[in-house]
Structure formats: C-alpha cells, structure tokens
Amino acid sequence: GEDVEQSLFLSVREGDSSVINCTYTDSSSTYLYWYKQEPGAGLQLLTYIFSNMDMKQDQRLTVLLNKKDKHLSLRIADTQTGDSAIYFCAESKRGSSYKLIFGSGTRLLVRP
Amino acid sequence: DTEVTQTPKHLVMGMTNKKSLKCEQHMGHRAMYWYKQKAKKPPELMFVYSYEKLSINESVPSRFSPECPNSSLLNLHLHALQPEDSALYLCASSQAEIGGYTFGSGTRLTVV
C-alpha cells in the first residue's frame, strides 16, 4: 500500500544535529525525497535518494536509507534557527505516472 | 529561470463566483501538477499533466477544472466552491517521471 509516516514534532537546540525519521510501506518505491516547507510558503526540495543507495550527503544534510526496514532519515548537522520548518518525506514509484506520496510532515523547532 | 510562479498569492471568493488560479514555469518541464494542502496536513495530489495532456485526476470534484494551454502554463478553474475547499493550492513541475518537483509558493484560497 501507499503509506508514509513521520513523527509530528522535533525540538533541538541551535548547533546540535537534528534527525528526522520516516517510514514507508511500499517496497517498490523508486526514489525517496525530503522537502522543507516554511510558514506560508511552497515546498522546497532539499535532497533525494535512489532506492538502491544507502546514503547520500549534501553539505549539512545526510540521508540514510534502510531498505530492509523501509526507514528513511534526514540528518541536519549544526542546525540553525533558519532550519525551523516542516519537513516532508515523499516517495515515488516508476510506472506510477509521476505520483508523489507525502508523509504527514515533521515540524522542526530550533531553539536559540 | 528556475521557478514556478503562481498567481494570485491570495484569493477570497464567494460560493457562486468563478475564478482561476494560474501557474507558469519556463524550465522546460514536461509534467505539471496541482496539489491541495489543508492546514497542518501534507499536500494531496489533484491533477497531473504530462506533455500537456491530463494523465491523472485523483477523483477531484468537477467544480475544479484544470487546463494546460501550453507546456509552460497550467490553470485551475474554480466554480461553485464550498467553504471546505479553502486551502493552499500548490502548483509543481518536473522534468521527468522520476525526479524532484519544483513547487510554486501557492495560492491561499478562502471560500466564503
């Protein structure tokens, strides 16, 4: 089935690392994405990982994929107050005609 | 130009009004999307256009009518909406079936 789950809220202190977790149920997922949404704004693509990869790093962002457990995580190093936002994971499948399935979103609050 | 532009940013309409939301991109993307997002919820797919043809309609009520006049433009015509249709309407585009979407900043619609 198509079900992507995330924890609702995460609070961290500025300068610490943040880890946002996501689980999905569809093993045929091809690509997995992380999007950021600031208040009143659209969604910004942060990074994505192909399902045959275990890890992807892009500056402060590290994505880990455990395909066996269908678990995806986003680690933000040296978290800043500007990172406060809602983070959505999403999955897509080849042959699904461009359909992107979003998780429920995790609200990240960075405390000074 | 790496943006998806949506107009208007805010719209208030009565239940008997007819209005249109507009979306434009000049990245050469061949797929365009309409999503609806209620407060504190993830975006929900409404329509997908691929090469200017409607490829997905997620059982959206007929009071929402999409149109793709050319490869750069996507419209959403609204007629006889209900207050529960109030939401953030997001447009997105992508180059291929698999890959990140680029989202616009959305139109915040209020139906009174």
Side-chain angles (χ1 to χ4, degrees), chain A residues 55-80:
Chain A
M55 186 184 87
K56 181 178 181 181
Q57 187 157 2
D58 184 359
Q59 299 182 340
R60 291 191 298 125
L61 305 179
T62 302
V63 178
L64 294 178
L65 176 61
N66 181 327
K67 200 171 180 185
K68 174 175 169 289
D69 294 337
K70 298 189 186 68
H71 183 264
L72 181 73
S73 68
L74 174 69
R75 179 177 179 270
I76 306 173
D78 187 25
T79 314
Q80 303 298 305

mmCIF file of all heavy atoms in Angstrom, chain A residues 55-80:
data_model
loop_
_atom_site.group_PDB
_atom_site.id
_atom_site.type_symbol
_atom_site.label_atom_id
_atom_site.label_comp_id
_atom_site.label_asym_id
_atom_site.label_seq_id
_atom_site.Cartn_x
_atom_site.Cartn_y
_atom_site.Cartn_z
ATOM 1 N N MET A 55 23.114 5.800 1.363
ATOM 2 C CA MET A 55 23.409 7.075 1.988
ATOM 3 C C MET A 55 23.682 8.117 0.909
ATOM 4 O O MET A 55 24.201 7.826 -0.161
ATOM 5 C CB MET A 55 24.642 6.966 2.897
ATOM 6 C CG MET A 55 24.938 8.215 3.697
ATOM 7 S SD MET A 55 26.442 8.119 4.679
ATOM 8 C CE MET A 55 27.645 8.654 3.490
ATOM 9 N N LYS A 56 23.323 9.347 1.230
ATOM 10 C CA LYS A 56 23.671 10.471 0.368
ATOM 11 C C LYS A 56 23.968 11.660 1.250
ATOM 12 O O LYS A 56 23.211 11.944 2.184
ATOM 13 C CB LYS A 56 22.517 10.787 -0.584
ATOM 14 C CG LYS A 56 22.806 11.929 -1.543
ATOM 15 C CD LYS A 56 21.634 12.132 -2.476
ATOM 16 C CE LYS A 56 21.922 13.258 -3.440
ATOM 17 N NZ LYS A 56 20.779 13.497 -4.361
ATOM 18 N N GLN A 57 25.068 12.344 0.971
ATOM 19 C CA GLN A 57 25.430 13.516 1.776
ATOM 20 C C GLN A 57 25.495 14.742 0.879
ATOM 21 O O GLN A 57 26.023 14.679 -0.231
ATOM 22 C CB GLN A 57 26.772 13.294 2.475
ATOM 23 C CG GLN A 57 27.130 14.387 3.448
ATOM 24 C CD GLN A 57 28.107 13.926 4.516
ATOM 25 O OE1 GLN A 57 28.559 12.793 4.508
ATOM 26 N NE2 GLN A 57 28.424 14.817 5.436
ATOM 27 N N ASP A 58 24.963 15.838 1.379
ATOM 28 C CA ASP A 58 24.957 17.097 0.634
ATOM 29 C C ASP A 58 25.116 18.214 1.643
ATOM 30 O O ASP A 58 24.161 18.617 2.297
ATOM 31 C CB ASP A 58 23.650 17.245 -0.145
ATOM 32 C CG ASP A 58 23.632 18.481 -1.024
ATOM 33 O OD1 ASP A 58 24.621 19.242 -1.025
ATOM 34 O OD2 ASP A 58 22.614 18.691 -1.714
ATOM 35 N N GLN A 59 26.350 18.683 1.811
ATOM 36 C CA GLN A 59 26.678 19.747 2.763
ATOM 37 C C GLN A 59 26.217 19.337 4.167
ATOM 38 O O GLN A 59 26.704 18.352 4.706
ATOM 39 C CB GLN A 59 26.087 21.080 2.291
ATOM 40 C CG GLN A 59 26.647 21.493 0.936
ATOM 41 C CD GLN A 59 26.130 22.830 0.449
ATOM 42 O OE1 GLN A 59 25.101 23.329 0.899
ATOM 43 N NE2 GLN A 59 26.850 23.445 -0.470
ATOM 44 N N ARG A 60 25.285 20.072 4.776
ATOM 45 C CA ARG A 60 24.881 19.751 6.155
ATOM 46 C C ARG A 60 23.871 18.603 6.217
ATOM 47 O O ARG A 60 23.503 18.168 7.310
ATOM 48 C CB ARG A 60 24.286 20.986 6.824
ATOM 49 C CG ARG A 60 25.292 22.100 7.113
ATOM 50 C CD ARG A 60 24.683 23.183 8.026
ATOM 51 N NE ARG A 60 23.541 23.852 7.425
ATOM 52 C CZ ARG A 60 22.343 23.939 7.985
ATOM 53 N NH1 ARG A 60 22.106 23.365 9.166
ATOM 54 N NH2 ARG A 60 21.365 24.590 7.387
ATOM 55 N N LEU A 61 23.411 18.153 5.070
ATOM 56 C CA LEU A 61 22.345 17.145 5.040
ATOM 57 C C LEU A 61 22.913 15.761 4.748
ATOM 58 O O LEU A 61 23.717 15.596 3.830
ATOM 59 C CB LEU A 61 21.322 17.489 3.960
ATOM 60 C CG LEU A 61 20.688 18.869 4.022
ATOM 61 C CD1 LEU A 61 19.716 19.051 2.864
ATOM 62 C CD2 LEU A 61 19.993 19.084 5.340
ATOM 63 N N THR A 62 22.459 14.770 5.532
ATOM 64 C CA THR A 62 22.805 13.373 5.276
ATOM 65 C C THR A 62 21.515 12.569 5.257
ATOM 66 O O THR A 62 20.724 12.630 6.215
ATOM 67 C CB THR A 62 23.738 12.808 6.361
ATOM 68 O OG1 THR A 62 24.919 13.606 6.427
ATOM 69 C CG2 THR A 62 24.125 11.367 6.042
ATOM 70 N N VAL A 63 21.307 11.838 4.184
ATOM 71 C CA VAL A 63 20.141 10.973 4.072
ATOM 72 C C VAL A 63 20.605 9.525 4.215
ATOM 73 O O VAL A 63 21.573 9.111 3.572
ATOM 74 C CB VAL A 63 19.436 11.149 2.713
ATOM 75 C CG1 VAL A 63 18.259 10.202 2.598
ATOM 76 C CG2 VAL A 63 18.990 12.585 2.524
ATOM 77 N N LEU A 64 19.923 8.791 5.088
ATOM 78 C CA LEU A 64 20.205 7.366 5.252
ATOM 79 C C LEU A 64 18.963 6.572 4.870
ATOM 80 O O LEU A 64 17.839 6.932 5.264
ATOM 81 C CB LEU A 64 20.576 7.051 6.704
ATOM 82 C CG LEU A 64 21.870 7.656 7.219
ATOM 83 C CD1 LEU A 64 22.073 7.298 8.696
ATOM 84 C CD2 LEU A 64 23.067 7.181 6.412
ATOM 85 N N LEU A 65 19.161 5.520 4.111
ATOM 86 C CA LEU A 65 18.052 4.664 3.683
ATOM 87 C C LEU A 65 18.331 3.223 4.093
ATOM 88 O O LEU A 65 19.356 2.647 3.724
ATOM 89 C CB LEU A 65 17.865 4.745 2.169
ATOM 90 C CG LEU A 65 16.795 3.829 1.580
ATOM 91 C CD1 LEU A 65 15.418 4.134 2.146
ATOM 92 C CD2 LEU A 65 16.784 3.943 0.055
ATOM 93 N N ASN A 66 17.416 2.666 4.869
ATOM 94 C CA ASN A 66 17.456 1.254 5.236
ATOM 95 C C ASN A 66 16.291 0.591 4.508
ATOM 96 O O ASN A 66 15.139 0.638 4.952
ATOM 97 C CB ASN A 66 17.313 1.094 6.752
ATOM 98 C CG ASN A 66 17.383 -0.365 7.193
ATOM 99 O OD1 ASN A 66 16.947 -1.268 6.477
ATOM 100 N ND2 ASN A 66 17.929 -0.595 8.372
ATOM 101 N N LYS A 67 16.595 0.003 3.359
ATOM 102 C CA LYS A 67 15.532 -0.526 2.511
ATOM 103 C C LYS A 67 14.876 -1.750 3.156
ATOM 104 O O LYS A 67 13.672 -1.979 2.974
ATOM 105 C CB LYS A 67 16.088 -0.873 1.137
ATOM 106 C CG LYS A 67 15.027 -0.968 0.070
ATOM 107 C CD LYS A 67 15.618 -1.088 -1.307
ATOM 108 C CE LYS A 67 14.474 -1.167 -2.319
ATOM 109 N NZ LYS A 67 14.976 -1.392 -3.675
ATOM 110 N N LYS A 68 15.654 -2.503 3.908
ATOM 111 C CA LYS A 68 15.098 -3.710 4.554
ATOM 112 C C LYS A 68 14.003 -3.319 5.540
ATOM 113 O O LYS A 68 12.940 -3.935 5.585
ATOM 114 C CB LYS A 68 16.216 -4.467 5.259
ATOM 115 C CG LYS A 68 15.781 -5.668 6.092
ATOM 116 C CD LYS A 68 17.002 -6.397 6.627
ATOM 117 C CE LYS A 68 16.588 -7.425 7.680
ATOM 118 N NZ LYS A 68 16.136 -6.790 8.918
ATOM 119 N N ASP A 69 14.269 -2.260 6.326
ATOM 120 C CA ASP A 69 13.295 -1.813 7.319
ATOM 121 C C ASP A 69 12.357 -0.745 6.777
ATOM 122 O O ASP A 69 11.502 -0.244 7.506
ATOM 123 C CB ASP A 69 14.012 -1.269 8.564
ATOM 124 C CG ASP A 69 14.781 -2.353 9.305
ATOM 125 O OD1 ASP A 69 14.427 -3.542 9.145
ATOM 126 O OD2 ASP A 69 15.738 -2.017 10.027
ATOM 127 N N LYS A 70 12.553 -0.340 5.504
ATOM 128 C CA LYS A 70 11.757 0.731 4.881
ATOM 129 C C LYS A 70 11.810 1.985 5.758
ATOM 130 O O LYS A 70 10.783 2.597 6.087
ATOM 131 C CB LYS A 70 10.320 0.274 4.650
ATOM 132 C CG LYS A 70 10.196 -0.909 3.706
ATOM 133 C CD LYS A 70 8.743 -1.171 3.361
ATOM 134 C CE LYS A 70 8.596 -2.436 2.531
ATOM 135 N NZ LYS A 70 8.907 -3.664 3.286
ATOM 136 N N HIS A 71 13.013 2.379 6.117
ATOM 137 C CA HIS A 71 13.226 3.508 7.001
ATOM 138 C C HIS A 71 14.159 4.511 6.339
ATOM 139 O O HIS A 71 15.224 4.161 5.829
ATOM 140 C CB HIS A 71 13.827 3.036 8.328
ATOM 141 C CG HIS A 71 14.013 4.129 9.315
ATOM 142 N ND1 HIS A 71 15.214 4.783 9.472
ATOM 143 C CD2 HIS A 71 13.150 4.701 10.193
ATOM 144 C CE1 HIS A 71 15.081 5.714 10.398
ATOM 145 N NE2 HIS A 71 13.848 5.680 10.856
ATOM 146 N N LEU A 72 13.737 5.756 6.347
ATOM 147 C CA LEU A 72 14.491 6.859 5.747
ATOM 148 C C LEU A 72 14.731 7.904 6.824
ATOM 149 O O LEU A 72 13.821 8.177 7.631
ATOM 150 C CB LEU A 72 13.674 7.475 4.608
ATOM 151 C CG LEU A 72 14.270 8.630 3.826
ATOM 152 C CD1 LEU A 72 15.378 8.136 2.911
ATOM 153 C CD2 LEU A 72 13.178 9.330 3.012
ATOM 154 N N SER A 73 15.924 8.474 6.872
ATOM 155 C CA SER A 73 16.162 9.547 7.839
ATOM 156 C C SER A 73 16.904 10.700 7.176
ATOM 157 O O SER A 73 17.613 10.515 6.183
ATOM 158 C CB SER A 73 16.950 9.039 9.049
ATOM 159 O OG SER A 73 18.262 8.688 8.679
ATOM 160 N N LEU A 74 16.695 11.876 7.748
ATOM 161 C CA LEU A 74 17.383 13.091 7.310
ATOM 162 C C LEU A 74 18.103 13.664 8.522
ATOM 163 O O LEU A 74 17.470 13.985 9.529
ATOM 164 C CB LEU A 74 16.387 14.124 6.769
ATOM 165 C CG LEU A 74 16.973 15.493 6.407
ATOM 166 C CD1 LEU A 74 17.882 15.390 5.191
ATOM 167 C CD2 LEU A 74 15.866 16.517 6.174
ATOM 168 N N ARG A 75 19.416 13.761 8.422
ATOM 169 C CA ARG A 75 20.195 14.366 9.492
ATOM 170 C C ARG A 75 20.649 15.746 9.035
ATOM 171 O O ARG A 75 21.218 15.894 7.951
ATOM 172 C CB ARG A 75 21.398 13.505 9.850
ATOM 173 C CG ARG A 75 22.285 14.087 10.946
ATOM 174 C CD ARG A 75 23.425 13.123 11.294
ATOM 175 N NE ARG A 75 24.293 13.668 12.327
ATOM 176 C CZ ARG A 75 25.380 14.416 12.079
ATOM 177 N NH1 ARG A 75 25.728 14.687 10.846
ATOM 178 N NH2 ARG A 75 26.112 14.863 13.083
ATOM 179 N N ILE A 76 20.385 16.744 9.868
ATOM 180 C CA ILE A 76 20.840 18.105 9.609
ATOM 181 C C ILE A 76 21.914 18.412 10.633
ATOM 182 O O ILE A 76 21.648 18.447 11.844
ATOM 183 C CB ILE A 76 19.682 19.124 9.726
ATOM 184 C CG1 ILE A 76 18.509 18.721 8.830
ATOM 185 C CG2 ILE A 76 20.177 20.526 9.381
ATOM 186 C CD1 ILE A 76 17.264 19.599 9.016
ATOM 187 N N ALA A 77 23.130 18.629 10.165
ATOM 188 C CA ALA A 77 24.233 18.954 11.068
ATOM 189 C C ALA A 77 24.216 20.448 11.389
ATOM 190 O O ALA A 77 23.776 21.280 10.571
ATOM 191 C CB ALA A 77 25.564 18.576 10.429
ATOM 192 N N ASP A 78 24.683 20.784 12.618
ATOM 193 C CA ASP A 78 24.793 22.191 13.006
ATOM 194 C C ASP A 78 23.497 22.943 12.714
ATOM 195 O O ASP A 78 23.468 23.929 11.963
ATOM 196 C CB ASP A 78 25.983 22.844 12.283
ATOM 197 C CG ASP A 78 26.286 24.254 12.756
ATOM 198 O OD1 ASP A 78 25.943 24.579 13.912
ATOM 199 O OD2 ASP A 78 26.841 25.038 11.962
ATOM 200 N N THR A 79 22.409 22.471 13.286
ATOM 201 C CA THR A 79 21.090 23.021 12.988
ATOM 202 C C THR A 79 21.003 24.499 13.373
ATOM 203 O O THR A 79 21.448 24.905 14.455
ATOM 204 C CB THR A 79 20.016 22.231 13.746
ATOM 205 O OG1 THR A 79 20.257 20.833 13.596
ATOM 206 C CG2 THR A 79 18.647 22.548 13.183
ATOM 207 N N GLN A 80 20.443 25.288 12.487
ATOM 208 C CA GLN A 80 20.304 26.731 12.688
ATOM 209 C C GLN A 80 18.827 27.102 12.853
ATOM 210 O O GLN A 80 17.935 26.351 12.446
ATOM 211 C CB GLN A 80 20.887 27.478 11.485
ATOM 212 C CG GLN A 80 22.347 27.152 11.202
ATOM 213 C CD GLN A 80 23.242 27.553 12.347
ATOM 214 O OE1 GLN A 80 23.234 28.716 12.776
ATOM 215 N NE2 GLN A 80 24.015 26.607 12.878
#
